Amino acid sequence: MHKHNSPFRVLIGKPGLDGHDRGAKFIARALRDDGFEVIYTGIRRTPEEIAAAAIQEDVSAIGLSSLSGAHLRLFPAVVEALRAAGVTDIAVLGGGVIPEEDIRQLKEAGIDEVFTPGTPLEVILEAFRSACRQQRKTHQP
Amino acid sequence: MRNDLNALLAGLHNHEARSIARAISLVENDHEAAEVILASLDQHHITSSQVLGITGSPGVGKSTLTSTLVRHFRGQGKRVGIVAVDPSSSITGGALLGDRVRMMGHALDPDVVVRSMATRGRLGGLCAAAGAAVRIMAASGCSPVIIETVGVGQSEMDIIRLADLTLMVLAPGMGDEIQAMKAGILEVADLLVVNKTDCLGAETLTMDLEAALRGKKNPWQSRVYKTVATTGQGIDELAIAIDELDAIYRSSGEHDRRRHSSLELETVDWAVELLKPRLLKELQEKIYAAEPRQAARKLLARLCPSITDT
Ligand code: B12
Ligand SMILES: Nc1nc2c(ncn2[C@@H]2O[C@H](COP(=O)(O)OP(=O)(O)OP(=O)(O)O)[C@@H](O)[C@H]2O)c(=O)[nH]1
Ligand SMILES: [Mg+2]
């Protein structure tokens, strides 16, 4: 059996050319302080690079951050890259400056949750916990 | 359940990224499948692989140097593994693993296998599953496998026993040379690297180190390798030195001796790890003596009488 206290592993990534990294780092630190093992991949990565890193690191969830307006293209591209590698069980969450009307579209494209500025931190942490618990349940050889 | 494990073992056999990653997690989480997974590994690959340690103070450029070395090895057509270890917070158990930021240039290369690992409460600079992760990568055809850890004092030098040879990286402006000499690290590292030689103070640091090393009997131990990890300067020379020293160790028997004692120590670690819950349980039920050392001896005499004649 799994030792159920093993920490959850997540990856925080910033796809595209957006250099606003405060939010991503803030979320990464908050997750660490909540007991997660957080792999941070830095700014300016392609969706394919983020997906490949997530697979190698065997994370349960990916958190994407975007403030520059390119989320409708970049977030679904990460989901696509995962699918292309045959991976459908890593949760993808997103956040940043994202208009309300885009959120439905992102969810339809396979992004599990989207969080905009002002969301209470506990809500974000619980979303990661729950996504990781779910993934671990379905993933026991 | 069995089917999943068989699929994993098959994937591992085919060097698939996801299976390698899952296998490392299962071992790291002490899953019951761990032993089967590790026993299935290709021993021939493990024996022939080269395991390099890279250690040094925070921020000296270990990850950047690793990434630059990886580019060099990829140029030679080698498949490379990287195990990057960072400390877990002792309070929350969480960790921020950031070494990958410097290695993302290789993210789309299937022959560069990177795994970030947290120490998970283990002292010595490595995590308990580091050795297993190295073997999983080696068995999947990675050679070299590079282990990166933060290491300042001798208490963080477990990497020395796991690696076939270890590079100690220093950089100017960090008060490193005094630290290193105090901690006796110059004695245990196999190769000394001064990185950031494009920065002020590199020349002085190099000369100080060379002075401290004068009189060492092995020629490689009296040399300091100078690099600029960000540009690749000095990397070719360093890579040649690594291969030459590796060849010396292999022909002198040093390589085999290190591998053997590394496995021995890891076995002892595991024996202690497996024994711990039994010992604690026994202690909860009965007090053996007020003095811990004496209590320990009595406890062992009761639990494993055959090994405690002394
Ligand atoms: C600080 C800032 C900067 C700093 C960035 C510093 C840095 N290293 O991050 C600087 C000055 C460099 C900068 C530059 C620019 N900026 Co600016 N910047 C801001 C500003 C004022 C605050 C952003 C911030 O740091 N917030 C604090 C962090 C903690 O909040 P956050 O990132 O939103 O994160 C929270 C949530 O969104 C969510 N979240 C975020 N990411 C994630 C990820 C996950 C997984 C989850 C679950 C949640 C989550 O949780 C966080 C906590 O609640 C915003 C305005 C605003 N109100 O957002 C503009 C803003 C983002 N910038 C903007 C622009 C246009 C620019 C520039 C292009 C300006 C220019 N013409 O030069 C440049 C481009 C920089 C670049 N290279 O990409 C626009 C973007 C417009 C758009 N979306 O179309 C904004 C919205 C301002 C505006 N109203 O016009 N900027
Ligand atoms: N000028 C200069 N900067 C360098 C060189 N090598 C690395 N750096 C920079 O030094 C900083 C730290 O580099 P890393 O590779 O992350 O260092 P590290 O030793 O892995 O750091 P930790 O893993 O946090 O201990 C980065 O900003 C690098 O770009 C170098 O040769 N010259
Ligand atoms: Mg590093």
Side-chain angles (χ1 to χ4, degrees):
Chain A
M1 265 336 276
H2 250 292
K3 277 188 187 159
H4 274 281
N5 52 359
S6 344
F8 291 129
R9 292 169 63 84
V10 297
L11 181 146
I12 299 296
K14 281 198 58 71
L17 299 176
D18 175 23
H20 294 91
D21 60 358
R22 276 197 207 157
K25 286 179 169 166
F26 175 80
I27 297 293
R29 277 192 297 268
L31 286 164
R32 175 200 61 191
D33 293 343
D34 197 55
F36 287 79
E37 289 179 1
V38 186
I39 292 107
Y40 180 62
T41 52
I43 55 171
R44 300 207 176 89
R45 306 320 327 183
T46 67
E48 291 75 19
E49 288 169 346
I50 290 173
I55 291 168
Q56 281 198 347
E57 296 287 359
D58 192 37
V59 296
S60 301
I62 300 175
L64 301 172
S65 176
S66 170
L67 280 77
S68 67
H71 47 270
L72 281 181
R73 187 172 58 81
L74 293 168
F75 286 8
V78 173
V79 177
E80 277 313 306
L82 287 170
R83 282 193 189 139
V87 176
T88 51
D89 60 349
I90 298 181
V92 180
L93 292 76
V97 176
I98 293 167
E100 206 52 45
E101 59 268 27
D102 291 352
I103 294 182
R104 204 176 52 102
Q105 215 174 320
L106 288 172
K107 288 194 172 167
E108 275 166 12
I111 316 298
D112 295 276
E113 303 274 3
V114 178
F115 299 101
T116 50
T119 313
L121 185 56
E122 181 49 35
V123 173
I124 294 176
L125 294 176
E126 186 47 37
F128 274 96
R129 285 185 213 120
S130 132
C132 291
R133 271 196 299 265
Q134 191 58 37
Q135 203 255 9
R136 190 169 278 185
K137 234 186 293 168
T138 61
H139 230 311
Q140 295 264 349
Chain B
M1 275 209 157
R2 271 252 71 105
N3 284 344
D4 285 354
L5 182 57
N6 286 337
L8 178 76
L9 293 178
L12 209 48
H13 191 74
N14 294 327
H15 306 174
E16 283 166 18
R18 188 120 217 248
S19 301
I20 295 170
R22 293 293 307 151
I24 294 174
S25 296
L26 292 170
V27 172
E28 185 176 39
N29 293 344
D30 211 7
H31 190 277
E32 59 189 7
E35 267 182 48
V36 182
I37 292 168
L38 292 172
S40 81
L41 298 178
D42 181 335
Q43 289 299 323
H44 172 74
H45 271 137
I46 295 176
T47 311
S48 60
S49 75
Q50 184 185 53
V51 182
L52 303 178
I54 296 194
T55 191
S57 302
V60 292
K62 298 178 294 296
S63 300
T64 313
L65 187 69
T66 300
S67 189
T68 312
L69 277 169
V70 168
R71 198 183 319 131
H72 177 95
F73 294 132
R74 290 297 296 133
Q76 299 175 323
K78 293 175 177 170
R79 177 173 156 89
V80 190
I82 299 152
V83 177
V85 185
D86 275 319
S88 304
S89 153
S90 56
I91 298 158
T92 67
L96 194 51
L97 309 172
D99 294 320
R100 224 184 215 281
V101 174
R102 316 268 170 233
M103 304 178 189
M104 284 304 280
H106 304 290
L108 293 181
D109 184 344
D111 287 319
V112 179
V113 183
V114 183
R115 176 65 172 231
S116 312
M117 299 179 88
T119 52
R120 296 197 177 176
R122 154 88 166 230
L123 303 174
L126 291 179
C127 48
V134 167
R135 291 197 291 282
I136 289 170
M137 288 187 184
S140 88
C142 295
S143 181
V145 178
I146 304 174
I147 316 159
E148 175 189 338
T149 71
V150 172
V152 192
Q154 246 174 7
S155 60
E156 286 170 315
M157 286 298 131
D158 273 6
I159 192 169
I160 305 258
R161 78 179 211 209
L162 184 58
D164 296 333
L165 61 94
T166 300
L167 279 55
M168 175 80 200
V169 188
L170 299 97
M174 320 204 70
D176 262 354
E177 67 285 13
I178 306 152
Q179 273 296 331
M181 279 180 250
K182 263 204 292 204
I185 281 163
L186 301 185
E187 276 70 35
V188 289
D190 296 293
L191 294 171
L192 276 183
V193 180
V194 170
N195 186 42
K196 304 198 187 185
T197 46
D198 55 329
C199 294
L200 203 68
E203 203 50 44
T204 321
L205 172 60
T206 308
M207 278 172 2
D208 286 352
L209 286 170
E210 276 166 350
L213 294 171
R214 207 162 291 142
K216 289 272 184 266
K217 70 173 188 295
N218 296 318
W220 62 86
Q221 283 182 320
S222 56
R223 264 206 67 178
V224 176
Y225 293 87
K226 292 182 272 186
T227 59
V228 183
T230 39
T231 64
Q233 195 185 312
I235 293 296
D236 289 354
E237 235 186 325
L238 177 61
I240 290 169
I242 290 170
D243 279 342
E244 280 177 0
L245 187 51
D246 191 50
I248 291 173
Y249 284 170
R250 276 173 203 263
S251 63
S252 71
E254 176 69 9
H255 173 89
D256 289 345
R257 197 192 57 71
R258 287 189 184 193
R259 284 281 177 109
H260 182 77
S261 82
S262 166
L263 287 176
E264 233 171 46
L265 286 166
E266 200 179 322
T267 306
V268 171
D269 280 352
W270 272 113
V272 172
E273 196 61 37
L274 295 174
L275 211 63
K276 225 182 223 164
R278 278 289 284 126
L279 296 174
L280 285 169
K281 182 163 171 283
E282 187 70 19
L283 279 175
Q284 267 160 13
E285 284 159 13
K286 185 164 179 273
I287 293 166
Y288 281 81
E291 181 55 37
R293 190 183 196 281
Q294 192 187 19
R297 223 160 25 75
K298 287 186 175 172
L299 176 63
L300 281 183
R302 157 129 178 71
L303 283 184
C304 357
S306 59
I307 60 162
T308 43
D309 301 335
T310 45

